[in-house]
Structures are given as structure tokens and as C-alpha cells.
Amino acid sequence: EKSFHSINMSEIARTANLAKGTVYLYFQTKEELFLTVFQRKFGEWVETAEAKLRNLSRPVQKEQIVDILIDTTAGNRQLIRLAALSNIIFEHNITYEKAIDYKLWLHEQTDSLGKLLEQLLQLEPQQGAILLYRLYVFVIGLENVANPSSSTLKIYANHPSMKLIDFETELRVL
């Protein structure tokens, strides 16, 4: 409902009907809390993508796999926005311990789905994880370009020759 920067821990505590100190028992910073939400959303995405990929009829067509990855990604706005903030915001105000836990967890998630992609697409080892990493980087950049600030949106509105790109359209072009 709000941007990351406009939310504070007091508001999070109030919305959750908790004392602010209680929230800090679980999360040392707002970034740590949001990173945890991102992990939950990303884990759900991996589970959904894996289930859909495993249910494909054989032989599998490359286009079917691409459609699943795009549909499960493009339809999850919260995940996309959190992904876009994960590297530039969340990772900069967390402890080393939280960062290493997060990075190892992320590696496990992408390795699992990557191995499935390698089987389905007959790729070399690690190529599935590399494919997912490239998709992740592309999604982060695309999200930031396709959803600019309100002042940038005014520029697009006042200059019709400048076109705002559409996230899902560009994702499908990839």
C-alpha cells in the first residue's frame, strides 16, 4: 500500500497490533523485516514455478517453460517490487549473520529450481541457476524503469513522444 521509504517500524508494530519493542525482538531493522518478507515471497514463487514445471506434459517445449517463468513472475507485483529493493536497500542495513543466511538460502532456492530447468531444457550443470540469475537481474532493472517516480511519470505525461515501458510486455520480449 505504501512505499518502503514511507513506512517505519512504529507503523508496522501498530498495524500488527504489537508493541514497537516486540517487533524489534524479531527484526533488528526495517530492512531485515522486509528482506524476510521478500524471502517468503521468493520461496512461494520458487514452489509455484517448480510445481508448474513438474506438471508439464513431456516432451516439454521451451516456450512452455518461458511462459511459466514469466506468468509466475509478472503476476506477482509484491515479489517484483521487493526484489527490486532487495539488493539496493535491504542488504545494506542488516547484520553479516542475516546477510549470509539470506545469501545461502537464496542460493539453495535458485539451485533447486535451476537444476529442474537444466533437466527440462537439457542444459549443462549450473546453466539453470545462471538463467535464473539473469532473469532476476533483468526483473530488478525492468521494475525500476517501468515504475518510475511520480515526478518522472509527469515527464512522460507531458512528453507523449517519450514512452513509458510496460513491465510485462518487456518481460515477454526477453
Side-chain angles (χ1 to χ4, degrees):
E1 292 177 15
K2 293 183 174 185
S3 72
F4 170 80
H5 297 292
S6 68
I7 299 170
N8 59 46
M9 291 293 264
S10 295
E11 184 177 5
I12 292 167
R14 194 171 39 256
T15 302
N17 293 319
L18 297 170
K20 184 176 174 182
T22 304
V23 175
Y24 280 108
L25 290 174
Y26 297 97
F27 306 101
Q28 292 182 11
T29 64
K30 177 173 79 167
E31 291 81 4
E32 188 177 308
L33 184 148
F34 275 82
L35 187 62
T36 302
V37 173
F38 170 67
Q39 283 182 263
R40 179 175 295 157
K41 289 294 188 182
F42 190 82
E44 291 169 358
W45 176 79
V46 168
E47 287 178 17
T48 300
E50 282 184 350
K52 288 179 181 269
L53 290 169
R54 289 186 195 286
N55 287 330
L56 287 173
S57 300
R58 303 297 193 264
V60 175
Q61 300 298 313
K62 179 175 70 171
E63 292 77 14
Q64 293 173 291
I65 295 169
V66 170
D67 284 343
I68 287 171
L69 292 175
I70 289 173
D71 291 343
T72 56
T73 301
N76 195 335
R77 296 296 311 147
Q78 194 175 49
L79 171 66
I80 294 165
R81 193 64 202 135
L82 290 167
L85 295 172
S86 66
N87 288 32
I88 60 173
I89 303 288
F90 306 157
E91 293 183 24
H92 293 276
N93 194 21
I94 60 174
T95 64
Y96 173 80
E97 292 76 19
K98 181 65 179 172
I100 192 72
D101 287 347
Y102 163 66
K103 289 297 188 179
L104 290 172
W105 175 87
L106 190 61
H107 175 73
E108 289 173 9
Q109 295 291 305
T110 55
D111 191 53
S112 169
L113 182 54
K115 286 179 179 170
L116 178 56
L117 289 173
E118 290 162 12
Q119 292 171 1
L120 294 172
L121 295 170
Q122 299 176 341
L123 300 172
E124 296 294 319
Q126 297 304 309
Q127 290 298 302
I130 291 168
L131 175 66
L132 287 173
Y133 180 74
R134 289 180 177 159
L135 175 62
Y136 178 72
V137 169
F138 183 76
V139 165
I140 289 170
L142 182 58
E143 169 62 17
N144 287 312
V145 172
N147 293 292
S149 68
S150 57
S151 58
T152 302
L153 284 173
K154 289 178 189 175
I155 295 169
Y156 285 111
N158 293 324
H159 295 83
S161 64
M162 296 175 68
K163 300 290 182 205
L164 179 63
I165 66 169
D166 177 70
F167 181 89
E168 188 167 349
T169 300
E170 292 299 318
L171 187 59
R172 291 191 181 281
V173 170
L174 170 68

